[in-house]
Amino acid sequence: MRSLRTRYSNGCMDAMNAIPDVPVPLFDVQRQYRQIRWDVLAALESVAASGRYILGPPCQQLEAEIAAYCGTAHAVGCASGSDAVLLALQALGIGPGDEVIVPSYTFFATASAVTRLGARPVFVDIEPKHFNIDPAAIEAAITPATKAIVPVHLFGQCADMEAIAARHGIPVIDDAAQAIGAQHLGRRAGSLGVVGCFSFYPTKNLGAMGDGGMLTTSDAALAERLRLLRTHGMQPRYHHKVVGINSRLDSIQAAVLLVKMKYLDEWTARRRENAARYDQLFAAEGLVGRVALPSESPGNFHIWNQYVIRVPAEKRDKLHEHLAAHNVGTEIYYPVPLHHQPCFRELGYGDVSLPVSEQAARETIALPIFPELTAEEQQVVVGRIGQFFAQRATGTAHSLPQAA
Ligand SMILES: *Cc1c(COP(=O)(O)O)cnc(C)c1O
């Protein structure tokens, strides 16, 4: 941390560890907005002037760009990533009596979509290194009622889609909400299953200024069905073929996203640099072993929506508090695995243990990784984590699953 001392020698220093007392946010949308402000304002003005506020020309253009980007023939905009998962399942005909295999360690929306269609989410465990659904656990969970599998590309890295591939003829849906631009064996997230689901929630790598979502597929009939379902199953106007929902993309969000699409790969490159810099900083601080670092698995291109480390369970919440007390933003993704959520109690998972998911829920903590994060801020984050362990040094070596 010598460079820190030099760089901040005139700043406000923490007496003990010479860590500059500067706040580091988990995520900062303002920094990104400052770079693209004038283009965004022009895009908003053009939508406002057009009067075509829902599914207008920017929506069609965004669909075309996302399809080309992901390598699929079609893309269909919708109102959120949650709706994308719901629409994908509904388009595949999932309903009562069906089972859908999902990871337990993911964001809620992956599983709630299944429940909302009257089907049963079947929770399976993850693999410990990359937090993604365990292909062997999927195999073990397949029954005659299994109608879909929804692997999540968690934190920006693809699940082992090759191992999961549509064996048994069961359709696979990519929950790529956290993984736009991620690749698995040279193919992009969203093109790895029969249909891909994206979210434009502001903290995702391609974030709107509100809610938005997108579905990707190379199946023309499925794309047509998705378009029907997102507009109340209506075709032609006021004639309803099926019961769909209202889940349309706003032109304003699409216009903002079109501006941001131009920067997406550059922002991904910055996130990858930040991840590599964390690896170096943790090594330089001698913290590898006290914390387990995330890694990119062979064959994958990680887009680092989150940089999630593991620390011993009994220290995790204290570390979270220590960092918060020093204005370093972190988050716990996710503190309760889905199979133990109260709303899923009737599914009977109360006594079921999915140990890898449960351990991840106790040990993980996400650090700031957004593209505009500076090297100095990363030094502060790692410095504060080093300070935490130095204050609590017990000499006990904890065995954490280390990344490859
Ligand atoms: C964000 C997210 C969603 C839902 O997206 P929203 O746009 O917030 O509805 C679904 N699945 C995963 C894995 C997510 O991270």
Side-chain angles (χ1 to χ4, degrees):
M1 301 301 288
R2 192 157 26 86
S3 60
L4 255 188
R5 196 179 291 274
T6 323
R7 195 179 298 271
Y8 289 95
S9 54
N10 297 322
C12 175
M13 307 291 285
D14 181 291
M16 218 181 90
N17 270 11
I19 301 166
D21 198 11
V22 294
V24 183
L26 177 64
F27 184 69
D28 185 352
V29 283
Q30 303 294 344
R31 291 189 207 179
Q32 189 177 77
Y33 180 57
R34 284 198 288 272
Q35 297 167 55
I36 56 174
R37 180 168 182 205
W38 301 109
D39 285 351
V40 168
L41 290 176
L44 295 179
E45 160 63 17
S46 108
V47 173
S50 79
R52 300 175 67 183
Y53 301 147
I54 288 176
L55 294 178
C59 299
Q60 283 140 42
Q61 194 187 332
L62 184 70
E63 289 177 344
E65 288 196 17
I66 296 277
Y69 187 77
C70 293
T72 58
H74 311 276
V76 179
C78 64
S80 71
S82 303
D83 277 2
V85 182
L86 182 73
L87 288 163
L89 290 164
Q90 198 179 355
L92 291 172
I94 306 297
D98 296 339
E99 294 180 356
V100 177
I101 297 176
V102 297
S104 176
Y105 187 68
T106 176
F107 180 61
F108 179 68
T110 315
S112 63
V114 179
T115 306
R116 285 181 58 194
L117 291 170
R120 179 185 169 84
V122 174
F123 296 111
V124 304
D125 217 344
I126 54 168
E127 40 84 20
K129 259 188 201 164
H130 303 109
F131 308 107
N132 276 324
I133 195 165
D134 179 353
I138 293 175
E139 289 293 319
I142 288 173
T143 75
T146 309
K147 292 288 150 56
I149 303 168
V150 192
V152 177
H153 307 315
L154 204 68
F155 304 144
Q157 166 152 253
C158 292
D160 187 357
M161 295 300 278
E162 200 176 40
I164 298 165
R167 287 197 216 142
H168 318 280
I170 300 167
V172 177
I173 298 172
D174 274 350
D175 184 341
Q178 300 181 8
I180 192 158
Q183 294 174 37
H184 181 68
L185 304 175
R187 284 167 56 203
R188 284 215 163 112
S191 72
L192 301 166
V194 289
V195 50
C197 304
F198 291 95
S199 164
F200 302 128
Y201 185 76
T203 62
K204 305 294 161 95
N205 284 25
L206 182 64
M209 292 180 172
D211 278 310
M214 187 74 71
L215 292 127
T216 48
T217 183
S218 289
D219 179 330
L222 197 58
E224 216 29 64
R225 199 164 162 76
L226 291 167
R227 287 182 199 283
L228 197 60
L229 287 170
R230 75 172 170 181
T231 49
H232 287 305
M234 182 165 77
Q235 196 185 55
R237 192 171 278 271
Y238 306 125
H239 294 260
H240 300 268
K241 294 194 168 130
V242 288
V243 177
I245 58 175
N246 164 18
S247 182
R248 300 166 301 212
L249 183 62
D250 291 344
S251 303
I252 284 210
Q253 299 308 338
V256 168
L257 292 164
L258 282 168
V259 171
K260 292 195 178 192
M261 269 302 276
K262 297 188 207 110
Y263 299 86
L264 181 59
D265 286 340
E266 197 181 310
W267 289 335
T268 298
R270 295 289 92 75
R271 285 174 182 268
R272 288 175 60 82
E273 281 168 20
N274 292 347
R277 189 174 298 111
Y278 270 135
D279 294 349
Q280 290 160 10
L281 289 168
F282 277 111
E285 278 273 306
L287 287 169
V288 181
R290 288 192 178 273
V291 307
L293 304 180
S295 68
E296 183 174 64
S297 87
N300 268 352
F301 181 84
H302 199 322
I303 54 106
W304 298 101
N305 178 242
Q306 302 296 341
Y307 185 93
V308 175
I309 62 169
R310 283 180 191 262
V311 298
E314 70 279 8
K315 296 211 169 79
R316 198 268 311 270
D317 292 345
K318 292 197 183 75
L319 174 62
H320 190 44
E321 286 162 24
H322 172 84
L323 294 171
H326 289 97
N327 297 310
V328 172
T330 59
E331 188 56 275
I332 310 299
Y333 301 116
Y334 298 91
V336 181
L338 296 184
H339 68 289
H340 284 165
Q341 292 287 354
C343 65
F344 293 132
R345 201 174 291 137
E346 295 97 84
L347 296 173
Y349 282 91
D351 299 326
V352 174
S353 179
L354 299 174
V356 187
S357 298
E358 289 158 25
Q359 193 180 351
R362 288 192 300 263
E363 294 183 344
T364 50
I365 181 164
L367 309 181
I369 185 79
F370 60 97
E372 300 79 15
L373 186 71
T374 66
E376 289 76 15
E377 287 174 316
Q378 289 189 273
Q379 289 184 325
V380 170
V381 174
V382 176
R384 289 289 175 205
I385 294 172
Q387 177 188 51
F388 172 82
F389 282 104
Q391 283 169 359
R392 257 152 246 268
T394 59
T396 327
H398 288 276
S399 64
L400 290 165
Q402 291 294 325

